[in-house]
Amino acid sequence: MLSSFPALPQWIALSDAEKDIVLARVSDELSLPQPFALSRDGYVAPRVVVDYAEPVGKIAFRLIPAHTVPVGLSDNNLAAIHRISDEPPISVEEMTPLIRMDVAAFLVAELPLSVAAARVLIDQAHDERAEFPAYLDDASAQAAVQRLGATLPSEAQWECAAKAGADPLFPFGNALLPESALERWMRYDLGDATSALNAFGVGGFFFAEWCGDMFATSHATDAERLPGTRTIKGGGAYFWPWQDEEWVWCLSSMRMPSSDLDSGVAVCRPVIAP
């Protein structure tokens, strides 16, 4: 169980020695489907490496502490967008109103599943390069994560991982980076150790990614939900290198219905909520 793990503000306030004591206790309490190693490094969220054994091998997760997450587009986000572009090609209504959700502690994979992993888990992948993220249809994405004892992230969990305890416009901050820095976020090679991660130690946000919930036309409580249509998050790397204002697909709050996918496939990221 992760219910005894400190919430994010309390976790951050602990000394390194106190954090190590907490991790030792959680290691004794945590129930995962396979052997795992729980450790601290330079990122806020502790690293959990789950050993699924051959042929899947080890998959790295991050333990995200419980905290309140701003889901959607905030006024500060919108002001930052208009500092970049007067007329950004976005549907503000789909990303508002901003809602604040209490998200319980969970484990999220550092990166989406690779082609190599998909070949092992479900004998299917739409790309030939083993180290690339696997583009899968809805049913295949769900089957792949379920084989790992995991689920697809909810939209709130996805934004929780992307925003890393704050409310940034992008997972990499509140402004666009120089092209050389952006390139580190857009890399399709999941095995490249120089690719960028956020403060939680999570990366690979920009390939167009399945979420577990059905797409709602806004964040309003009475918003229409589109049957059989899941929420897709991210997508900036799909258009890289950008020719126009494709940067909007890097917004932490950017979302689209899966019915808008030209190919019907997206990548998937396992989430475990013991």
Side-chain angles (χ1 to χ4, degrees):
M1 298 297 293
L2 292 176
S3 57
S4 65
F5 193 80
L8 182 60
Q10 289 73 40
W11 170 253
I12 292 174
L14 295 177
S15 67
D16 287 350
E18 290 170 328
K19 287 179 179 177
D20 289 338
I21 291 172
V22 169
L23 292 184
R25 186 194 73 230
V26 172
S27 290
D28 291 335
E29 298 174 352
L30 190 59
S31 175
L32 287 177
Q34 301 292 341
F36 68 95
L38 178 57
S39 63
R40 257 186 330 104
D41 56 10
Y43 297 97
V44 174
R47 197 168 198 249
V48 185
V49 179
V50 181
D51 188 355
Y52 288 94
E54 295 299 335
V56 177
K58 297 179 180 179
I59 296 179
F61 291 79
R62 290 286 170 174
L63 197 171
I64 308 299
H67 63 285
T68 301
V69 182
V71 178
L73 193 67
S74 67
D75 289 343
N76 287 338
N77 292 159
L78 193 56
I81 287 172
H82 285 141
R83 287 194 290 271
I84 300 172
S85 174
D86 291 332
E87 296 184 3
I90 58 174
S91 297
V92 173
E93 295 78 10
E94 288 187 351
M95 295 182 277
T96 55
L98 182 76
I99 55 175
R100 298 190 180 276
M101 299 187 64
D102 293 329
V103 177
F106 66 100
L107 302 176
V108 60
E110 287 183 2
L111 298 167
L113 285 182
S114 67
V115 168
R119 286 173 178 162
V120 169
L121 293 169
I122 56 172
D123 191 28
Q124 180 182 354
H126 288 256
D127 196 296
E128 293 304 315
R129 298 187 63 173
E131 71 279 9
F132 273 30
Y135 280 89
L136 305 170
D137 61 29
D138 182 11
S140 298
Q142 291 191 72
V145 297
Q146 287 170 5
R147 287 286 303 274
L148 299 173
T151 63
L152 296 173
S154 68
E155 184 170 3
Q157 287 173 326
W158 194 96
E159 288 203 24
C160 182
K163 293 181 175 179
D167 184 28
L169 183 62
F170 308 107
F172 47 76
N174 289 313
L176 288 176
L177 300 172
E179 185 171 323
S180 58
L182 280 171
E183 191 274 334
R184 294 183 58 227
W185 290 91
M186 303 297 145
R187 291 176 186 167
Y188 273 74
D189 184 353
L190 300 179
D192 189 337
T194 64
S195 295
L197 304 175
N198 70 5
F200 276 172
V202 185
F205 291 109
F206 305 122
F207 305 125
E209 191 166 330
W210 291 107
C211 288
D213 18 29
M214 295 295 105
F215 184 82
T217 54
S218 77
H219 289 309
T221 54
D222 59 350
E224 178 188 4
R225 292 192 175 272
L226 306 184
T229 302
R230 294 194 185 276
T231 301
I232 301 294
K233 299 287 285 182
Y238 195 84
F239 306 104
W240 184 262
W242 303 329
Q243 304 299 312
D244 193 8
E245 295 199 273
E246 292 91 344
W247 58 267
V248 298
W249 292 99
C250 294
L251 298 173
S252 301
S253 54
M254 194 65 171
R255 57 202 297 272
M256 65 178 282
S258 58
S259 55
D260 285 358
L261 291 170
D262 290 338
S263 59
V265 295
V267 305
C268 61
R269 184 188 305 266
V271 160
I272 300 175

